[in-house]
Amino acid sequence: MSDIVAEEPVYRTDALIAEDIDRYLEVHQHKTMLRFITCGSVDDGKSTLIGRLLYDSKMIFEDQLAALEADSKRVGTQGQEIDFALLVDGLAAEREQGITIDVAYRFFSTEKRKFIVADTPGHEQYTRNMVTGASTADLAVILIDARKGVLTQTRRHSYLAHLIGIRNIVLAVNKMDLVGYNQAVFEGIVKDYTEFATSIGIRDFTAIPISGFKGDNITGLSANTPWYAGPALMAHLETVEVDQISDQDKPFRMAVQWVNRPNLDFRGFSGQVATGTIKVGDAVRVLPSGKTSTVTRIVTLDGDLQQAIAGQSVTLCFADEVDCSRGDVIAAADNPPQAADQFEATIVWMADEEMLPGRPYWLKIGTQTVTATIQQPKYQVNVNTMEHLAAKTLELNAIGVANLATDRQIVFEPYADNRTLGGFILIDKLTNATVAAGMLHFSLRRAQNVHWQATDVTREFHAGLKNQKPAVLWFTGLSGAGKSTIANLVEKKLARMNRHTFLLDGDNVRHGLNKDLGFTDADRVENIRRVGEVARLMTDAGLIVITAFISPFRAEREMVRQMMQPGEFIEIHIDTPLAEAEARDVKGLYKKARSGQLKNFTGIDSPYEAPEDPEIQIDTTAMTPEEAAELIVARIVP
């Protein structure tokens, strides 16, 4: 009988376990990251697909799995089987309705790559949420229900994904199990999508027949589709080239997020490298100033580097003391980006309120924040037909092309070349709500050809000749409040004091300068913008300008204030209750508005936003016009 020798059990020490953990973390840290979105029409199976990916990649803990199984039986849509969509649909409203409303982000990892996936809504109502998720994605998985084929939202999301710069497109024809894994159905959908994709500029995409519910062609090829010879979805996601790799081949660009000055001996400029590569000793240019220097150090939390690439967050130190601050862009000295203040852009409108051409918004691009105004759109895009439609404004989820101007030059590159320096958002100045996302195409030629002409006779000289301080007395209030009456009395009193004035009255201006404008919200904005520009020129001439306009929106009154020198804009609220103004109704306008003959009338079917902190408040129920004029003159003329 042969001897049987029992092997000694191998006991792993804490040190060996720690080594394995360190080795795992080292490998995990150096995996590439793919950000992708799932999009398409309602109920195409986006949430189910992501749930399946999380499940198959072993990214669900035991307690999560137990909760998922319980929720599937209670509120699931797959009978007694696991409803993978519940892993992603976290909002109560989403579970109740079986739809995705908000963008849900999930992380998972395989042996080859790390992933962040954004599950975006399919409803047209939530298209703005889809744009948010797509803005940082490298790849888009466009899902199509095999039973329904290419739908409106399929086209809309494909167009937006391409517009936002996603070049890796996966066409996932889902629910193949419900059409018997029919090859002809799959090929017919691919043919239809190819025709549409070609029309919007998508040159290439990867089509995969899948079943998110059953798991066909998700992590491995399915025996149910022997006619399909392409990769499984996971294999494709693990091997596709990410934008960060291609960004490294572009010229160096880094937007400055903050100036790092911990002590007197250190001064560096921190930010994330957007594109390209930077090495110690490289010559760089700071924009928009154009100053040049050389990189002496590349500092990170883990120590100095000799080189940094796209995607890394670093602090750069220069050989010279150059003026550089947040919002500036550091670039390769011999290949810098452009700077301009007028552009053509594509705008995706994301607010419930329509866009108002001429209204000033905050424009945030990279780390730069400036004031921008948008002109009337050149056209709006019909995403179903790609037809260019005439449009005076843009409403929720509308996509259009328009010119815009900023109050100072910004550093930029076309969005097609650089997302960081070409993509922007618009923010409402009053509410701080993000109202639009946009992509810059190019700067307008007039941005380079039109320059401010310096003059020898200054505004101070003009004011000195008149022995007065220029000012804009901006009367605002409801129709019938008494603005024109009081403004006229103020001008007469100032004239008797030998002051040089000019009265711009709302009705008078509409006879000439603004006779082409109506009374829609957009036209009201443009009306005030033009008057503001005229008032600014008049203050340059040293005049005291008196204006009498309803000017119903705070944003436009603030826009005019920003045009003037500090202290020159004096907002005067002629505060009259609506009932009192309507009782006067000298012109019979309220009566027409009440009967429906006059649309967009302030106070009736168009809002009036009263000043929150005017320089002068006049209560016309407590004083006569003469008394009001006397008070105003006493306040502005010492």
Side-chain angles (χ1 to χ4, degrees):
M1 185 174 182
S2 61
D3 293 335
I4 298 176
V5 180
E7 294 184 4
E8 289 289 329
V10 177
Y11 295 100
R12 295 175 57 78
T13 65
D14 290 344
L16 289 174
I17 294 173
E19 284 182 15
D20 286 347
I21 293 174
D22 289 342
R23 192 178 302 113
Y24 170 80
L25 291 176
E26 179 71 16
V27 171
H28 184 75
Q29 181 180 356
H30 290 89
K31 290 179 185 177
T32 58
M33 170 76 78
L34 176 71
R35 295 175 178 269
F36 70 97
I37 61 169
T38 58
C39 48
S41 193
V42 179
D43 202 31
D44 279 347
K46 298 179 291 297
S47 300
T48 299
L49 174 61
I50 295 177
R52 167 64 72 172
L53 289 173
L54 294 173
Y55 181 82
D56 288 349
S57 59
K58 307 295 190 294
M59 294 299 291
I60 306 175
F61 296 111
E62 289 185 8
D63 58 336
Q64 289 179 304
L65 182 59
L68 175 63
E69 290 173 345
D71 287 346
S72 297
K73 293 176 182 178
R74 184 170 55 87
V75 295
T77 59
Q78 305 298 338
Q80 294 301 304
E81 298 191 61
I82 292 178
D83 187 350
F84 293 105
L86 297 180
L87 280 170
V88 185
D89 289 339
L91 298 177
E94 293 177 326
R95 294 190 172 203
E96 290 170 3
Q97 300 178 51
I99 63 172
T100 298
I101 295 174
D102 204 356
V103 181
Y105 294 92
R106 292 292 183 271
F107 170 87
F108 67 97
S109 175
T110 66
E111 291 183 358
K112 296 182 179 180
R113 178 171 274 176
K114 297 178 289 188
F115 302 91
I116 293 178
V117 55
D119 182 24
T120 62
H123 273 268
E124 180 178 352
Q125 177 184 353
Y126 304 113
T127 299
R128 54 187 169 184
N129 297 24
M130 178 269 172
V131 174
T132 303
S135 62
T136 57
D138 304 305
L139 178 145
V141 179
I142 309 289
L143 276 92
I144 291 182
D145 188 329
R147 300 168 300 172
K148 301 176 182 177
V150 178
L151 301 176
T152 298
Q153 279 298 82
T154 311
R155 297 186 181 93
R156 182 184 297 274
H157 285 183
S158 298
Y159 177 76
L160 284 170
H162 180 68
L163 183 68
I164 287 171
I166 299 176
R167 296 296 172 257
N168 295 308
I169 303 290
V170 173
L171 181 69
V173 181
N174 194 23
K175 304 187 181 182
M176 287 298 296
D177 55 307
L178 299 182
V179 295
Y181 301 98
N182 190 309
Q183 180 180 1
V185 170
F186 172 74
E187 292 177 348
I189 290 173
V190 173
K191 179 177 180 294
D192 291 343
Y193 186 81
T194 300
E195 293 177 0
F196 171 75
T198 303
S199 71
I200 63 173
I202 297 177
R203 300 187 183 91
D204 190 29
F205 62 89
T206 301
I208 305 175
I210 68 168
S211 170
F213 176 52
K214 297 292 187 181
D216 296 289
N217 295 326
I218 302 298
T219 56
L221 293 178
S222 171
N224 293 317
T225 55
W227 42 267
Y228 173 67
L233 177 61
M234 185 64 81
H236 180 71
L237 296 177
E238 288 180 326
T239 56
V240 68
E241 184 181 272
V242 297
D243 288 347
Q244 187 173 317
I245 296 174
S246 60
D247 283 343
Q248 296 172 15
D249 298 328
K250 298 177 181 178
F252 171 68
R253 308 281 188 261
M254 188 185 89
V256 178
Q257 294 181 348
W258 69 295
V259 178
N260 189 346
R261 193 75 186 271
N263 54 60
L264 294 175
D265 300 322
F266 184 91
R267 184 167 178 257
F269 308 99
S270 302
Q272 185 179 65
V273 179
T275 60
T277 302
I278 187 69
K279 301 184 182 70
V280 173
D282 282 354
V284 292
R285 187 181 302 273
V286 178
L287 296 165
S289 69
K291 300 293 184 181
T292 59
S293 188
T294 304
V295 176
T296 58
R297 290 180 65 187
I298 302 175
V299 183
T300 72
L301 191 63
D302 298 321
D304 284 16
L305 303 175
Q306 288 298 307
Q307 172 181 295
I309 61 176
Q312 287 185 290
S313 296
V314 297
T315 296
L316 301 182
C317 298
F318 296 156
D320 307 286
E321 289 286 339
V322 299
D323 183 16
C324 183
S325 58
R326 175 178 170 82
D328 289 345
V329 174
I330 303 171
D334 59 352
N335 190 3
Q338 306 173 57
D341 59 6
Q342 297 183 61
F343 311 90
E344 181 189 89
T346 294
I347 297 171
V348 182
W349 194 252
M350 302 166 68
D352 293 321
E353 302 78 19
E354 66 179 20
M355 181 189 82
L356 294 181
R359 168 166 287 185
Y361 298 96
W362 291 121
L363 182 146
K364 184 172 176 56
I365 179 169
T367 57
Q368 306 170 89
T369 301
V370 296
T371 294
T373 54
I374 311 167
Q375 296 183 11
Q376 179 177 314
K378 295 181 177 180
Y379 57 84
Q380 182 176 323
V381 179
N382 182 327
V383 296
N384 290 318
T385 64
M386 293 301 105
E387 182 183 4
H388 292 178
L389 307 175
K392 288 188 175 182
T393 183
L394 296 176
E395 298 180 342
L396 176 63
N397 294 328
I399 304 165
V401 172
N403 291 342
L404 61 86
T406 57
D407 62 344
R408 62 181 184 272
Q409 286 197 333
I410 59 173
V411 181
F412 85 102
E413 288 191 302
Y415 185 83
D417 299 332
N418 190 321
R419 285 192 186 185
T420 303
L421 296 181
F424 63 88
I425 59 172
L426 295 175
I427 303 170
D428 187 283
K429 285 194 168 188
L430 291 179
T431 64
N432 281 326
T434 299
V435 295
M439 289 69 69
L440 297 178
H441 298 169
F442 50 79
S443 62
L444 302 181
R445 183 173 296 176
R446 60 175 173 266
Q448 282 78 39
N449 293 346
V450 179
H451 306 279
W452 192 267
Q453 179 63 46
T455 56
D456 294 330
V457 180
T458 64
R459 70 193 316 273
E460 290 77 17
F461 183 82
H462 284 299
L465 283 177
K466 298 174 177 62
N467 193 30
Q468 64 185 30
K469 184 179 182 297
V472 174
L473 310 185
W474 192 275
F475 287 76
T476 176
L478 293 170
S479 177
K483 299 181 300 298
S484 296
T485 300
I486 299 173
N488 189 52
L489 289 170
V490 167
E491 185 176 38
K492 288 167 64 176
K493 291 179 180 296
L494 290 173
R496 286 197 293 266
M497 300 169 68
N498 293 321
R499 303 295 176 178
H500 297 261
T501 63
F502 195 90
L503 174 59
L504 291 170
D505 183 79
D507 284 351
N508 293 348
V509 168
R510 284 186 176 273
H511 282 295
L513 177 67
N514 293 345
K515 68 179 180 181
D516 60 318
L517 299 177
F519 291 90
T520 63
D521 287 351
D523 282 350
R524 287 177 185 274
V525 171
E526 176 61 13
N527 182 52
I528 298 305
R529 187 196 69 81
R530 293 184 192 178
V531 171
E533 294 289 357
V534 171
R536 179 170 64 171
L537 292 174
M538 288 183 167
T539 58
D540 284 345
L543 296 175
I544 296 174
V545 185
I546 304 167
T547 73
F549 292 84
I550 294 174
S551 50
F553 304 125
R554 296 190 191 104
E556 279 58 67
R557 299 194 297 267
E558 182 61 26
M559 171 181 67
V560 179
R561 183 187 294 274
Q562 295 301 321
M563 292 180 184
M564 308 304 164
Q565 297 295 316
E568 288 187 359
F569 183 88
I570 301 171
E571 187 175 37
I572 304 171
H573 182 204
I574 307 303
D575 188 6
T576 302
L578 176 61
E580 177 66 23
E582 189 169 359
R584 298 172 186 175
D585 205 10
V586 179
K587 304 174 185 177
L589 300 179
Y590 282 98
K591 185 177 180 180
K592 290 181 179 178
R594 292 290 187 190
S595 66
Q597 300 176 50
L598 192 60
K599 299 295 184 182
N600 302 313
F601 190 76
T602 303
I604 304 300
D605 57 353
S606 186
Y608 176 74
E609 299 172 354
E612 294 178 328
D613 190 24
E615 278 76 12
I616 301 175
Q617 182 100 5
I618 300 295
D619 182 356
T620 61
T621 64
M623 62 177 68
T624 66
E626 184 71 30
E627 291 170 337
E630 196 70 43
L631 184 150
I632 293 167
V633 171
R635 291 279 298 274
I636 65 172
V637 181

